[in-house]
Amino acid sequence: MPDLDQLRDGLHVSISQIKAYIRCSRAYQLRYVIGVKPAFKPKALALGTSYHAAVARFYVAVKEDGAPPPLPLICDTFRDGWQREVDGDVPLQADEDETDDDGALVDKGIALVGAFYDMAVASVAGVKVEAVEKPFSVEIHDPDTGEVMEERLVGAFDLVVSEGGRHTVVEHKTSARRYGSDQIAFDIQPTGYRIAAKAIGLGDVALKYQVAVKSKTPAVQVVDLARTSEDEDEFRRVAVGVMRAVDAGIFMPLRSWACRSCPHAHACRLSRAVRRSRSTS
């Protein structure tokens, strides 16, 4: 199968794009339609990206070598990932309620990696790692009309494992706190994964989140997720609605607490100022 970058060359939508539109369609427009460069990248996101790289390295080693790699190698992978984030062309910025001390953030990341490592080493016995960062591209149709959308749903599973003849799709997350029941029940991401897994032949997969919690004592929350065919139809309705709204050019700012830490707020404010000047001229 083509890699993820190749799949993105065609007309597509991702689950993260769908969720971004739901959060704020104006921010979606600035990022995905106009292509405005973000003013910054949240340091929490950079830490999460670096953590993902370390976790992926762990499971690649298990897949290729049949055994967990040494912890120092995984920690070094995190540090290398963090340095790439620091050296990137978008400056990093901490939220107001987070530390801006890079050293403290790296220490926190290493502690998260350690908590993950302890959990993962204990859980991989008897489990076969099938794929790491497995890409997918599947069609999306309107469950009410049967219309197949031009855009394909494109993305990648963080991890696919098998045990007892059944596949499990695992997503790695980082979070400031443990996931609550509503966050687990109403997240559309695992539903999209269930649809994609069926479409590429993995069958009726189990779904799991491994959430690295950035608490004082870092821990990994393992969450088993249940989704139904009704959830799948709801996901399709949401996805189709978002795609049709984008095609129709429906973009509106959603003023909320999230504006404070939005990397595209500078462009949103500028566009509002331009509209006001035009309306008074």
Side-chain angles (χ1 to χ4, degrees), residues 228-272:
T228 66
S229 57
E230 289 80 10
D231 293 323
E232 291 182 21
D233 282 346
E234 181 183 64
F235 175 91
R236 293 186 180 98
R237 290 187 181 97
V238 171
V240 168
V242 167
M243 286 184 274
R244 286 175 174 158
V246 170
D247 289 342
I250 300 174
F251 305 107
M252 64 196 79
L254 177 62
R255 300 293 290 163
S256 74
W257 59 267
C259 294
R260 176 172 56 86
S261 57
C262 176
H264 291 91
H266 64 298
C268 186
R269 288 192 294 267
L270 178 61
S271 64
R272 290 200 304 271

Side-chain angles (χ1 to χ4, degrees), residues 22-82:
I22 293 169
R23 283 193 300 272
C24 178
S25 60
R26 177 57 175 157
Y28 175 99
Q29 181 191 31
L30 292 168
R31 178 178 179 182
Y32 294 110
V33 179
I34 301 175
V36 173
K37 183 178 179 178
F40 62 89
K41 183 173 185 177
K43 286 193 173 182
L45 180 57
L47 185 145
T49 300
S50 308
Y51 173 84
H52 269 71
V55 170
R57 182 68 186 85
F58 175 91
Y59 285 112
V60 167
V62 173
K63 182 177 186 294
E64 294 179 348
D65 304 330
L71 176 58
L73 174 63
I74 305 307
C75 292
D76 286 345
T77 304
F78 172 85
R79 292 189 183 94
D80 291 343
W82 176 261

Side-chain angles (χ1 to χ4, degrees), residues 55-228:
V55 170
R57 182 68 186 85
F58 175 91
Y59 285 112
V60 167
V62 173
K63 182 177 186 294
E64 294 179 348
D65 304 330
L71 176 58
L73 174 63
I74 305 307
C75 292
D76 286 345
T77 304
F78 172 85
R79 292 189 183 94
D80 291 343
W82 176 261
Q83 193 59 51
R84 285 194 298 272
E85 294 294 318
V86 171
D87 295 339
D89 60 354
V90 177
L92 303 183
Q93 178 175 303
D95 287 344
E96 292 179 4
D97 56 351
E98 295 179 331
T99 179
D100 197 32
D101 182 342
D102 282 3
L105 285 170
V106 170
D107 289 344
K108 175 65 72 175
I110 293 298
L112 288 173
V113 168
F116 158 78
Y117 189 87
D118 291 341
M119 179 279 302
V121 168
S123 66
V124 293
V127 175
K128 181 180 179 182
V129 176
E130 299 282 357
V132 179
E133 298 292 340
K134 182 176 180 61
F136 61 80
S137 173
V138 302
E139 71 175 30
I140 290 291
H141 68 271
D142 186 325
D144 300 312
T145 67
E147 177 190 358
V148 177
M149 306 303 292
E150 289 185 90
E151 300 90 341
R152 293 179 67 82
L153 183 69
V154 169
F157 305 131
D158 281 350
L159 175 68
V160 181
V161 300
S162 62
E163 184 178 17
R166 188 185 188 191
H167 290 100
T168 298
V169 172
V170 183
E171 176 76 3
H172 310 303
K173 300 285 190 182
T174 56
S175 176
R177 58 191 59 84
R178 292 175 62 87
Y179 275 26
S181 57
D182 285 349
Q183 193 169 4
I184 294 167
F186 297 114
D187 189 354
I188 66 171
Q189 185 171 2
T191 312
Y193 282 175
R194 188 172 191 254
I195 292 170
K198 287 182 180 179
I200 66 172
L202 293 179
D204 186 11
V205 298
L207 301 162
K208 184 175 293 186
Y209 276 176
Q210 292 182 166
V211 186
V213 184
K214 296 179 285 185
S215 49
K216 185 175 181 180
T217 301
V220 178
Q221 177 190 12
V222 179
V223 181
D224 293 311
L225 303 127
R227 294 296 185 269
T228 66

